[in-house]
Amino acid sequence: MLNMLGVRMAAIALLATLVTVLSPEVGRVLRPMPIEARATSMSADEMLVSLQAQKWPEHLALPAYYREPENFFLKKHRDAQSPLMNYWNAFSRDEKLEVLDEIRRLHTPFALPYLAEMAWFTLPQEADHAIAANVFSALGASSNTYVEVAIFVCDFVSQSSIDDTVVQHAQACRDSLVDRRQRLGR
């Protein structure tokens, strides 16, 4: 009986030693990939460069709707926010307005997934009316080939926003998109 207790104690001591020695290595292996840490390191200027080049940084794990905007209709693709939303949330108000002005000026469907995600995840709680108005203006300018996705986003925001002015911006953008779709057949 005493011998069995000694074997158990030795096994426990060995296990404790292994855990102590290996714990830094195990912690390093189990730690999340550094994408999370880089998520707030993109400046507004770098965002503008990406938008102008119409190419997102390759290290980002972007949802499927960044490759095919119509995937935004599928809930499974929009459950979690992309790292681009971390960048957006880190920008100052002026930086956000500058990015939105550039997107509107570019008038490109490349920006539509970013705008859709931005509107979906931030506008229902947005109280800054200039930001909301500019998001919808940029969404309208970037939605030429994906009008249905933009309408879907506007409907969601108008039904879920806590601010009446944001709801009005969403409805006005939706009405404009529906009118354009009817006139142009898109």
Side-chain angles (χ1 to χ4, degrees), residues 47-102:
M47 177 66 71
L48 292 171
V49 168
S50 289
L51 288 164
Q52 290 162 352
Q54 296 194 26
K55 183 173 169 101
W56 297 116
E58 292 185 20
H59 70 275
L60 298 178
L62 296 175
Y65 53 83
Y66 276 85
R67 289 179 301 285
E68 182 54 53
E70 283 145 345
N71 282 329
F72 199 81
F73 289 122
L74 304 174
K75 185 176 179 356
K76 70 180 183 177
H77 291 300
R78 64 175 193 280
D79 275 346
Q81 296 180 24
S82 77
L84 291 175
M85 290 310 301
N86 293 332
Y87 300 139
W88 175 256
N89 292 329
F91 292 160
S92 70
R93 180 181 190 271
D94 289 341
E95 290 171 326
K96 288 178 180 181
L97 291 172
E98 183 181 4
V99 167
L100 292 169
D101 284 343
E102 182 63 15

Side-chain angles (χ1 to χ4, degrees), residues 17-174:
T17 302
L18 284 173
V19 167
T20 303
V21 170
L22 294 177
S23 63
E25 189 64 26
V26 171
R28 186 186 64 74
V29 170
L30 295 178
R31 207 170 293 131
M33 294 302 290
I35 283 178
E36 304 299 325
R38 290 186 296 219
T40 58
S41 65
M42 185 180 217
S43 70
D45 289 336
E46 292 168 324
M47 177 66 71
L48 292 171
V49 168
S50 289
L51 288 164
Q52 290 162 352
Q54 296 194 26
K55 183 173 169 101
W56 297 116
E58 292 185 20
H59 70 275
L60 298 178
L62 296 175
Y65 53 83
Y66 276 85
R67 289 179 301 285
E68 182 54 53
E70 283 145 345
N71 282 329
F72 199 81
F73 289 122
L74 304 174
K75 185 176 179 356
K76 70 180 183 177
H77 291 300
R78 64 175 193 280
D79 275 346
Q81 296 180 24
S82 77
L84 291 175
M85 290 310 301
N86 293 332
Y87 300 139
W88 175 256
N89 292 329
F91 292 160
S92 70
R93 180 181 190 271
D94 289 341
E95 290 171 326
K96 288 178 180 181
L97 291 172
E98 183 181 4
V99 167
L100 292 169
D101 284 343
E102 182 63 15
I103 291 172
R104 192 174 51 250
R105 187 192 69 72
L106 289 171
H107 206 270
T108 176
F110 171 79
L112 182 84
Y114 181 49
L115 291 164
E117 182 178 34
M118 184 189 306
W120 193 273
F121 289 110
T122 66
L123 288 186
Q125 295 83 31
E126 184 63 65
D128 187 319
H129 299 151
I131 297 277
N134 280 288
V135 168
F136 286 116
S137 179
L139 186 67
S142 302
S143 62
N144 292 345
T145 44
Y146 302 104
V147 174
E148 294 300 325
V149 174
I151 291 170
F152 177 68
V153 169
C154 290
D155 283 341
F156 172 78
V157 174
S158 71
Q159 294 168 12
S160 60
S161 178
I162 59 173
D163 187 286
D164 291 339
T165 303
V166 174
V167 170
Q168 291 170 358
H169 288 303
Q171 290 171 341
C173 184
R174 183 200 185 283

